[in-house]
Amino acid sequence: MSEKQPCTYQQTRFHRFHGYNLSLHDQDTVAHREMSFANAIVFSERSLSPGEVFLIEIESSENGWSGHIRLGLTQLDPDALQRSGHLLPQCAIPDMVSNKTMGESWICALTKHQAWYDANYLTNYFRLDGNHVFTSRGTFPTSILKSSRDDKMDILPTDVGSRVGVLYLPCGQNMAVMHFIINGEFVVPLSRTIPYNDGPIRAVIDVYGATKRVRVIQVYNVNSLQSACRETILKNIKAASVSKLPLPNALKEYLLYKT
C-alpha cells in the first residue's frame, strides 16, 4: 500500500516579470527595490478570484524619498508582456492608470492616513464572521490581517510592519468594487467600476518611494486535513452557531481559531 501524501497548498507569490530595479527573494514571496525610487512594479503570480485577499507586509523602508507603496488591481497580463518584450513603466501612477493600451489598471497610493469605515460584508465571495474571514478561496483568522508588531495600535499604514490587502467584490453585472484592508481595518471603497468579467484580474504593487521591501503574507495555508475540515464547517455555519454544535469544547475553540 502506498504511503499517503500530506495535504499541500498553493503558495501565493509574486510574478517573475517585474520592474528592472526589483529583485525577488524567498521563493518569489519577497520583492526588494535595489536602487532609486521607481521601476519596481510587480504583479501577483496568478489572477485573483472575487473576494480573494492578496496580503503583503512592508518589511523595510528607505529615507530620502517621498511617497510610498502603490497598490491595486490590473487586467494586464504579465506573461503576454514578457513574451512581447514590453518593458514595464517607471511608475504605476500615473503610467499604468492613464495608459490603457495594454489593459485596465486600478491603483492607489498608500498614505499615512486613510479613511476607514466599519465593514460587515456577507456575500457569496467574502464574509466577515467573528474572528475569521470566509472568502471564495478559503477561510482564515482575522488576526492574520493585522500587523505582527507589538505596537500595532500605533502603526501607520505606511510603516514597516504594516499589512495591506487588496481584493475586489462584485456589485452588479460585470462590475466590482476594489477594497483595501490595512492592518485589519477596511478603507473606504476605492474604484467602483471594475469590469471583472472582461479578463483575469491580478494584484499589482509598485514598491515606490520610501517603501523598500515587501513580503507576501500566506493567508491561505490550508496544509492539514484538520484545517481543511475547519474551513468546510465554517463555510456552512456562522461563528455564533459553533457553540451549539455537539462537539467537545476543545474542538469548538479550534473552530473559532482560539487554539
Side-chain angles (χ1 to χ4, degrees), residues 141-168:
T142 56
S143 59
I144 203 170
L145 298 172
K146 300 177 181 180
S147 172
S148 58
R149 282 178 31 171
D150 293 335
D151 58 341
K152 56 175 62 71
M153 296 299 294
D154 300 321
I155 192 170
L156 296 175
T158 54
D159 285 348
V160 171
S162 181
R163 290 189 175 183
V164 186
V166 62
L167 69 150
Y168 67 95

Side-chain angles (χ1 to χ4, degrees), residues 64-189:
W65 304 111
S66 62
H68 300 272
I69 186 173
R70 282 87 184 269
L71 182 70
L73 301 169
T74 184
Q75 288 180 331
L76 270 68
D77 182 353
D79 293 306
L81 293 175
Q82 188 173 30
R83 288 192 300 269
S84 65
H86 269 94
L87 291 177
L88 289 173
Q90 181 184 37
C91 302
I93 300 174
D95 300 339
M96 288 180 64
V97 176
S98 59
N99 184 358
K100 301 180 180 180
T101 57
M102 295 186 294
E104 291 266 12
S105 296
W106 305 268
I107 303 168
C108 295
L110 200 64
T111 61
K112 292 183 178 181
H113 303 286
Q114 307 284 160
W116 312 104
Y117 77 109
D118 186 16
N120 187 18
Y121 284 106
L122 181 60
T123 74
N124 293 330
Y125 307 103
F126 185 93
R127 186 176 82 223
L128 290 172
D129 189 5
N131 56 2
H132 71 274
V133 179
F134 164 71
T135 75
S136 56
R137 187 180 170 194
T139 304
F140 56 87
T142 56
S143 59
I144 203 170
L145 298 172
K146 300 177 181 180
S147 172
S148 58
R149 282 178 31 171
D150 293 335
D151 58 341
K152 56 175 62 71
M153 296 299 294
D154 300 321
I155 192 170
L156 296 175
T158 54
D159 285 348
V160 171
S162 181
R163 290 189 175 183
V164 186
V166 62
L167 69 150
Y168 67 95
L169 293 175
C171 60
Q173 187 174 3
N174 197 28
M175 286 296 168
V177 178
M178 180 173 72
H179 295 270
F180 283 179
I181 306 176
I182 302 179
N183 298 318
E185 301 289 338
F186 270 78
V187 176
V188 169

